Amino acid sequence: MFKTIEWTSDGVRMIDQTRLPGEEVYRTCRNYQEVAEAIRSMVIRGAPAIGVAAAMGVALGIKNSSAQSIPELRSDFETIADVISKTRPTAVNLFWAIKRMRETFENALSEPGSETEKILRVRTCLVEEAQRVLAEDIAVNEAMGRHGAALLQDSSTVLTHCNAGALATGGYGTALGVIRAAVADGKRIGVFADETRPFLQGARLTAWELAKDGIPVTVITDNMAGHFMKESKIQAVIVGADRIASNGDVANKIGTYTVAVLARENHVPFYVAAPLSTIDLNIASGDEIPIEERSPSEVTHWRGILTVPENVNARHPAFDVTPHRYVTAIITERGVAREPYVETLKALFR
Ligand code: MRU
């Protein structure tokens, strides 16, 4: 089994998701700037995986810091956190992970000891914490799988959009974790993977990891979902999320909203699987979620080849927001939430 991301003595090692499915190659980031660049260029992507990468990037930056005093170390921490926080705006897991690392940093400093001892302790604690973020993420996905598997019927076909699998997380996956858990329970589940233009996370990544696991997967282009729902070929939709507002509005890969509306029209349940680290109780609705606008060249080109006439305009919002009224249920590691999300999501944190 591949490892999406891991801490090594040389740095942060990750599978290069821009090269899949053609090549399974790994990249080791030796400083925090390289980690930030890997997040920005989507060598690593998917909300929980971005969170793990951010935590490891902070740990690596502080490990490499030459600070000799606590003020210097604090200033280095803020520089590292600032660079990493500017990589991608939508997935709240990135900010959640940086906050968690900041708390670890302050806790380690608050323990008694000389300045030198404290600096050493901060370094060790941050590396340990980043590894805990990874281990917890895998455990959380497995728990989500246990809660969500019951929602999927035997002999059903499930549509997913983008990649919310092992590649998008520390391992196992959110939406694909639920599918994996249902399959482990003995259910026969087939998956329709939306290709997911323009980055093709569905065609390249979801299909790759499901095929590796022997789970039957059929790739469809994004504009085929409605057709297959109308033909009763899809019994459920399950996707991940990049940020969920207090009212249950869900930001996820561009095209998710379209799928949710089609699901409602065709009476197909639309499930979202996401850990608590993806839920942002600080915002009231999806209107407050920053939507990343990526380079139009990712729409006009595929691996360097121009696929539209020269000099035409293109737009590339990387995410959209699905209003909570389309969301049948949100599967988390603490259980399954349903409307009214304003109450049920908050209750999960108690
Ligand atoms: O732009 P990406 O590939 O980082 O977008 C990823 C998604 O939208 C996923 O569906 C989401 O992060 C959930 S991953 C478990």
Side-chain angles (χ1 to χ4, degrees):
M1 192 60 178
F2 62 92
K3 283 202 171 127
T4 302
I5 181 166
E6 64 181 324
W7 180 270
T8 73
S9 52
D10 294 332
V12 181
R13 186 173 184 265
M14 51 186 82
I15 189 166
D16 185 343
Q17 301 194 28
T18 64
R19 310 269 288 271
L20 288 170
E23 295 167 282
E24 185 175 335
V25 290
Y26 292 79
R27 178 186 291 201
T28 299
C29 300
R30 289 169 205 277
N31 54 55
Y32 78 88
Q33 292 94 337
E34 286 181 11
V35 175
E37 186 46 35
I39 297 172
R40 197 176 297 113
S41 60
M42 293 173 62
V43 165
I44 186 152
R45 34 66 49 204
I50 290 173
V52 176
M56 290 192 174
V58 169
L60 187 60
I62 290 296
K63 181 178 170 242
N64 292 345
S65 157
S66 56
Q68 301 291 322
S69 70
I70 291 171
E72 277 171 8
L73 193 68
R74 251 208 188 93
S75 157
D76 280 356
F77 184 96
E78 291 312 326
T79 305
I80 296 161
D82 187 56
V83 168
I84 294 178
S85 68
K86 289 192 173 127
T87 51
R88 297 193 72 192
T90 304
V92 74
N93 308 61
L94 179 111
F95 306 96
W96 169 89
I98 293 172
K99 181 166 173 267
R100 185 165 159 168
M101 296 305 273
R102 181 175 277 112
E103 282 161 10
T104 304
F105 182 94
E106 293 302 339
N107 287 342
L109 281 185
S110 68
E111 295 289 316
S114 69
E115 190 167 45
T116 315
E117 282 166 348
K118 286 184 180 205
I119 291 172
L120 272 176
R121 188 186 310 123
V122 167
R123 292 205 169 102
T124 316
C125 287
L126 288 188
V127 171
E128 285 170 1
E129 188 68 7
Q131 287 171 290
R132 244 191 313 273
V133 168
L134 170 61
E136 283 176 20
D137 184 60
I138 299 170
V140 154
N141 291 333
E142 288 168 353
M144 220 180 296
R146 287 192 291 276
H147 289 298
L151 299 170
L152 303 183
Q153 311 300 319
D154 186 21
S155 301
S156 62
T157 298
V158 179
L159 174 76
T160 190
H161 188 75
C162 194
N163 170 264
L167 287 165
T169 61
Y172 201 65
T174 57
L176 297 194
V178 170
I179 292 169
R180 286 192 164 99
V183 170
D185 284 350
K187 291 181 185 164
R188 287 152 298 179
I189 308 280
V191 178
F192 270 15
D194 267 351
E195 161 180 72
T196 318
R197 274 277 291 156
F199 222 72
L200 304 187
Q201 289 94 330
R204 298 189 299 110
L205 309 177
T206 296
W208 182 77
E209 63 169 88
L210 289 180
K212 244 181 186 314
D213 269 9
I215 297 176
V217 58
T218 303
V219 175
I220 60 171
T221 62
D222 300 337
N223 48 3
M224 294 176 187
H227 167 77
F228 285 117
M229 285 188 204
K230 196 154 158 284
E231 301 271 297
S232 302
K233 296 287 190 287
I234 293 168
Q235 281 70 48
V237 176
I238 182 160
V239 297
D242 290 85
R243 197 185 290 227
I244 300 176
S246 316
N247 68 346
D249 289 352
V250 173
N252 191 49
K253 179 53 53 194
I254 190 76
T256 302
Y257 171 45
T258 319
V259 175
V261 174
L262 286 169
R264 168 60 52 86
E265 165 71 14
N266 290 284
H267 311 289
V268 173
F270 179 88
Y271 299 117
V272 175
L276 297 196
S277 56
T278 302
I279 301 173
D280 186 355
L281 292 184
N282 294 317
I283 56 171
S285 82
D287 295 345
E288 294 171 64
I289 300 176
I291 300 295
E292 177 183 12
E293 184 87 30
R294 290 185 68 83
S295 167
S297 68
E298 290 175 351
V299 173
T300 57
H301 290 71
W302 175 246
R303 291 195 167 148
I305 297 168
L306 185 69
T307 56
V308 301
E310 261 179 79
N311 301 322
V312 297
N313 291 329
R315 288 284 306 274
H316 187 189
F319 302 95
D320 60 26
V321 174
T322 299
H324 60 91
R325 65 177 179 279
Y326 292 109
V327 180
T328 309
I330 298 176
I331 304 154
T332 75
E333 68 270 36
R334 298 238 174 112
V336 178
R338 293 178 192 261
E339 291 277 22
Y341 292 114
V342 179
E343 289 165 24
T344 56
L345 292 182
K346 207 191 295 167
L348 293 171
F349 287 84
R350 282 190 207 121

PDB file of all heavy atoms in Angstrom, residues 263-276:
ATOM      1  N   ALA A 263     -28.795  15.038  -7.878  1.00  0.00           N
ATOM      2  CA  ALA A 263     -29.184  13.969  -6.948  1.00  0.00           C
ATOM      3  C   ALA A 263     -30.573  14.263  -6.389  1.00  0.00           C
ATOM      4  O   ALA A 263     -31.429  13.372  -6.320  1.00  0.00           O
ATOM      5  CB  ALA A 263     -28.146  13.836  -5.837  1.00  0.00           C
ATOM      6  N   ARG A 264     -30.811  15.508  -5.985  1.00  0.00           N
ATOM      7  CA  ARG A 264     -32.122  15.874  -5.445  1.00  0.00           C
ATOM      8  C   ARG A 264     -33.221  15.636  -6.489  1.00  0.00           C
ATOM      9  O   ARG A 264     -34.257  15.037  -6.220  1.00  0.00           O
ATOM     10  CB  ARG A 264     -32.083  17.344  -5.002  1.00  0.00           C
ATOM     11  CG  ARG A 264     -33.427  17.971  -4.670  1.00  0.00           C
ATOM     12  CD  ARG A 264     -34.155  17.261  -3.533  1.00  0.00           C
ATOM     13  NE  ARG A 264     -33.346  17.094  -2.345  1.00  0.00           N
ATOM     14  CZ  ARG A 264     -33.224  18.015  -1.394  1.00  0.00           C
ATOM     15  NH1 ARG A 264     -33.878  19.143  -1.478  1.00  0.00           N
ATOM     16  NH2 ARG A 264     -32.456  17.794  -0.345  1.00  0.00           N
ATOM     17  N   GLU A 265     -32.957  16.089  -7.704  1.00  0.00           N
ATOM     18  CA  GLU A 265     -33.935  15.949  -8.795  1.00  0.00           C
ATOM     19  C   GLU A 265     -34.299  14.477  -9.026  1.00  0.00           C
ATOM     20  O   GLU A 265     -35.431  14.146  -9.349  1.00  0.00           O
ATOM     21  CB  GLU A 265     -33.333  16.574 -10.069  1.00  0.00           C
ATOM     22  CG  GLU A 265     -34.011  16.242 -11.383  1.00  0.00           C
ATOM     23  CD  GLU A 265     -35.366  16.916 -11.535  1.00  0.00           C
ATOM     24  OE1 GLU A 265     -35.681  17.832 -10.763  1.00  0.00           O
ATOM     25  OE2 GLU A 265     -36.125  16.484 -12.441  1.00  0.00           O
ATOM     26  N   ASN A 266     -33.296  13.600  -8.818  1.00  0.00           N
ATOM     27  CA  ASN A 266     -33.496  12.178  -9.114  1.00  0.00           C
ATOM     28  C   ASN A 266     -33.716  11.317  -7.865  1.00  0.00           C
ATOM     29  O   ASN A 266     -33.631  10.085  -7.938  1.00  0.00           O
ATOM     30  CB  ASN A 266     -32.301  11.660  -9.926  1.00  0.00           C
ATOM     31  CG  ASN A 266     -32.286  12.242 -11.330  1.00  0.00           C
ATOM     32  OD1 ASN A 266     -33.066  11.827 -12.193  1.00  0.00           O
ATOM     33  ND2 ASN A 266     -31.429  13.230 -11.561  1.00  0.00           N
ATOM     34  N   HIS A 267     -33.954  11.959  -6.725  1.00  0.00           N
ATOM     35  CA  HIS A 267     -34.233  11.254  -5.461  1.00  0.00           C
ATOM     36  C   HIS A 267     -33.117  10.292  -5.063  1.00  0.00           C
ATOM     37  O   HIS A 267     -33.367   9.184  -4.583  1.00  0.00           O
ATOM     38  CB  HIS A 267     -35.576  10.499  -5.558  1.00  0.00           C
ATOM     39  CG  HIS A 267     -36.678  11.366  -6.083  1.00  0.00           C
ATOM     40  ND1 HIS A 267     -37.232  12.393  -5.347  1.00  0.00           N
ATOM     41  CD2 HIS A 267     -37.285  11.396  -7.287  1.00  0.00           C
ATOM     42  CE1 HIS A 267     -38.136  13.002  -6.077  1.00  0.00           C
ATOM     43  NE2 HIS A 267     -38.201  12.436  -7.271  1.00  0.00           N
ATOM     44  N   VAL A 268     -31.886  10.739  -5.302  1.00  0.00           N
ATOM     45  CA  VAL A 268     -30.714   9.942  -4.898  1.00  0.00           C
ATOM     46  C   VAL A 268     -30.122  10.619  -3.656  1.00  0.00           C
ATOM     47  O   VAL A 268     -29.913  11.832  -3.659  1.00  0.00           O
ATOM     48  CB  VAL A 268     -29.653   9.926  -6.041  1.00  0.00           C
ATOM     49  CG1 VAL A 268     -28.362   9.257  -5.580  1.00  0.00           C
ATOM     50  CG2 VAL A 268     -30.212   9.234  -7.279  1.00  0.00           C
ATOM     51  N   PRO A 269     -29.853   9.878  -2.553  1.00  0.00           N
ATOM     52  CA  PRO A 269     -29.275  10.531  -1.368  1.00  0.00           C
ATOM     53  C   PRO A 269     -27.875  11.087  -1.660  1.00  0.00           C
ATOM     54  O   PRO A 269     -27.091  10.456  -2.375  1.00  0.00           O
ATOM     55  CB  PRO A 269     -29.228   9.411  -0.321  1.00  0.00           C
ATOM     56  CG  PRO A 269     -29.371   8.145  -1.070  1.00  0.00           C
ATOM     57  CD  PRO A 269     -30.087   8.436  -2.363  1.00  0.00           C
ATOM     58  N   PHE A 270     -27.618  12.250  -1.097  1.00  0.00           N
ATOM     59  CA  PHE A 270     -26.334  12.935  -1.303  1.00  0.00           C
ATOM     60  C   PHE A 270     -25.628  13.047   0.053  1.00  0.00           C
ATOM     61  O   PHE A 270     -26.042  13.804   0.920  1.00  0.00           O
ATOM     62  CB  PHE A 270     -26.590  14.333  -1.893  1.00  0.00           C
ATOM     63  CG  PHE A 270     -25.337  15.138  -2.125  1.00  0.00           C
ATOM     64  CD1 PHE A 270     -24.637  15.028  -3.324  1.00  0.00           C
ATOM     65  CD2 PHE A 270     -24.861  15.996  -1.154  1.00  0.00           C
ATOM     66  CE1 PHE A 270     -23.477  15.770  -3.529  1.00  0.00           C
ATOM     67  CE2 PHE A 270     -23.701  16.743  -1.353  1.00  0.00           C
ATOM     68  CZ  PHE A 270     -23.015  16.629  -2.544  1.00  0.00           C
ATOM     69  N   TYR A 271     -24.569  12.229   0.240  1.00  0.00           N
ATOM     70  CA  TYR A 271     -23.854  12.190   1.519  1.00  0.00           C
ATOM     71  C   TYR A 271     -22.504  12.895   1.417  1.00  0.00           C
ATOM     72  O   TYR A 271     -21.823  12.813   0.395  1.00  0.00           O
ATOM     73  CB  TYR A 271     -23.592  10.739   1.944  1.00  0.00           C
ATOM     74  CG  TYR A 271     -24.841   9.916   2.139  1.00  0.00           C
ATOM     75  CD1 TYR A 271     -25.105   8.804   1.334  1.00  0.00           C
ATOM     76  CD2 TYR A 271     -25.762  10.249   3.128  1.00  0.00           C
ATOM     77  CE1 TYR A 271     -26.252   8.047   1.503  1.00  0.00           C
ATOM     78  CE2 TYR A 271     -26.920   9.490   3.314  1.00  0.00           C
ATOM     79  CZ  TYR A 271     -27.155   8.396   2.493  1.00  0.00           C
ATOM     80  OH  TYR A 271     -28.292   7.657   2.663  1.00  0.00           O
ATOM     81  N   VAL A 272     -22.129  13.535   2.524  1.00  0.00           N
ATOM     82  CA  VAL A 272     -20.814  14.171   2.625  1.00  0.00           C
ATOM     83  C   VAL A 272     -20.082  13.492   3.784  1.00  0.00           C
ATOM     84  O   VAL A 272     -20.651  13.358   4.875  1.00  0.00           O
ATOM     85  CB  VAL A 272     -20.954  15.683   2.911  1.00  0.00           C
ATOM     86  CG1 VAL A 272     -19.586  16.319   3.133  1.00  0.00           C
ATOM     87  CG2 VAL A 272     -21.697  16.370   1.754  1.00  0.00           C
ATOM     88  N   ALA A 273     -18.866  13.041   3.540  1.00  0.00           N
ATOM     89  CA  ALA A 273     -18.064  12.427   4.608  1.00  0.00           C
ATOM     90  C   ALA A 273     -16.893  13.351   4.909  1.00  0.00           C
ATOM     91  O   ALA A 273     -16.104  13.665   4.013  1.00  0.00           O
ATOM     92  CB  ALA A 273     -17.554  11.055   4.172  1.00  0.00           C
ATOM     93  N   ALA A 274     -16.802  13.809   6.145  1.00  0.00           N
ATOM     94  CA  ALA A 274     -15.723  14.751   6.492  1.00  0.00           C
ATOM     95  C   ALA A 274     -15.440  14.695   7.988  1.00  0.00           C
ATOM     96  O   ALA A 274     -16.353  14.542   8.802  1.00  0.00           O
ATOM     97  CB  ALA A 274     -16.122  16.167   6.098  1.00  0.00           C
ATOM     98  N   PRO A 275     -14.159  14.853   8.355  1.00  0.00           N
ATOM     99  CA  PRO A 275     -13.814  14.853   9.780  1.00  0.00           C
ATOM    100  C   PRO A 275     -14.190  16.188  10.438  1.00  0.00           C
ATOM    101  O   PRO A 275     -14.431  17.182   9.741  1.00  0.00           O
ATOM    102  CB  PRO A 275     -12.290  14.680   9.764  1.00  0.00           C
ATOM    103  CG  PRO A 275     -11.858  15.249   8.458  1.00  0.00           C
ATOM    104  CD  PRO A 275     -12.979  14.998   7.489  1.00  0.00           C
ATOM    105  N   LEU A 276     -14.188  16.216  11.768  1.00  0.00           N
ATOM    106  CA  LEU A 276     -14.512  17.468  12.471  1.00  0.00           C
ATOM    107  C   LEU A 276     -13.540  18.582  12.096  1.00  0.00           C
ATOM    108  O   LEU A 276     -13.902  19.761  12.126  1.00  0.00           O
ATOM    109  CB  LEU A 276     -14.487  17.265  13.993  1.00  0.00           C
ATOM    110  CG  LEU A 276     -15.493  16.284  14.603  1.00  0.00           C
ATOM    111  CD1 LEU A 276     -15.604  16.487  16.105  1.00  0.00           C
ATOM    112  CD2 LEU A 276     -16.864  16.381  13.973  1.00  0.00           C
TER     113      LEU A 276
END
